[in-house]
Amino acid sequence: ADDPAVLFIATRGDQTRPPSVQVFKPSLDPDVPAASLGQVGIGHLERPTGLAVDDEGDVYVTDELQRMLWRFPSDGGDPVAAAGLATLTLPAGVDVTGSGEAQLIVVADPGAGSAKLFRGGSLTPTVIGEALLVRPRGACFIDGPDGTVQIAICDGATHRIHVFDLDGGDVV
């Protein structure tokens, strides 16, 4: 994550290649990934749809077929489920900010018509936008006008961007 020139691409795969997250670095051949995440065993991806990298370099990938959010540790260790079946319906866009107990992860969940906010490693989310969102596809953290962290959610059905505070209140 310290190297701004690293590019992560989530691919759905095809008949010749399984779904994966490919890692590209400009210092190497630009046509060949430097690494791939999630191809074999734990963390095998079926349909990756969203990707984010935290301050520690861990990579977070949503998988809509598995209904999971995977965390791939930057040290190359085994991936772990950061959220799963009981909380996500059809995960899409993901973003992460902060670290440790202050870490926040937001996942757009078009299958549920909401977004889910996970705090400090908790697997129990706060539901965001349940009565306002129809088919949220993208989610990101933004700085509010007063310096607070807010959540922007892109709704593909209504063609709107909604902004929420961390308690789920609609700001805009």
Side-chain angles (χ1 to χ4, degrees):
D2 293 336
D3 183 358
V6 175
L7 174 66
F8 296 90
I9 299 176
T11 64
R12 290 188 177 198
D14 56 27
Q15 284 78 15
T16 62
R17 292 175 298 154
S20 68
V21 173
Q22 297 178 334
V23 184
F24 292 87
K25 297 181 180 181
S27 59
L28 303 173
D29 183 342
D31 297 324
V32 178
S36 290
L37 305 175
Q39 287 191 2
V40 180
I42 298 173
H44 175 80
L45 299 170
E46 293 183 53
R47 188 173 292 157
T49 52
L51 183 144
V53 181
D54 71 11
D55 294 341
E56 309 300 319
D58 294 345
V59 179
Y60 292 79
V61 180
T62 54
D63 189 306
E64 70 179 15
L65 287 183
Q66 294 178 11
R67 299 178 181 177
M68 297 288 289
L69 172 64
W70 291 100
R71 180 178 62 83
F72 293 86
S74 60
D75 65 6
D78 286 338
V80 295
L85 291 172
T87 57
L88 299 172
T89 307
L90 189 69
V94 59
D95 195 18
V96 60
T97 189
S99 61
E101 290 300 313
Q103 185 176 59
L104 300 170
I105 301 171
V106 63
V107 178
D109 193 349
S114 64
K116 309 293 179 10
L117 175 64
F118 299 89
R119 301 170 189 258
S122 171
L123 296 179
T124 304
T126 299
V127 178
I128 305 288
E130 194 168 39
L132 292 172
L133 301 172
V134 178
R135 192 174 43 225
R137 300 297 301 170
C140 68
F141 292 103
I142 60 173
D143 292 328
D146 58 355
T148 60
V149 176
Q150 296 178 335
I151 302 167
I153 308 287
C154 176
D155 193 320
T158 63
H159 309 286
R160 293 191 64 203
I161 296 173
H162 294 271
V163 178
F164 299 92
D165 63 28
L166 295 181
D167 294 322
D170 190 23
V171 175
V172 176

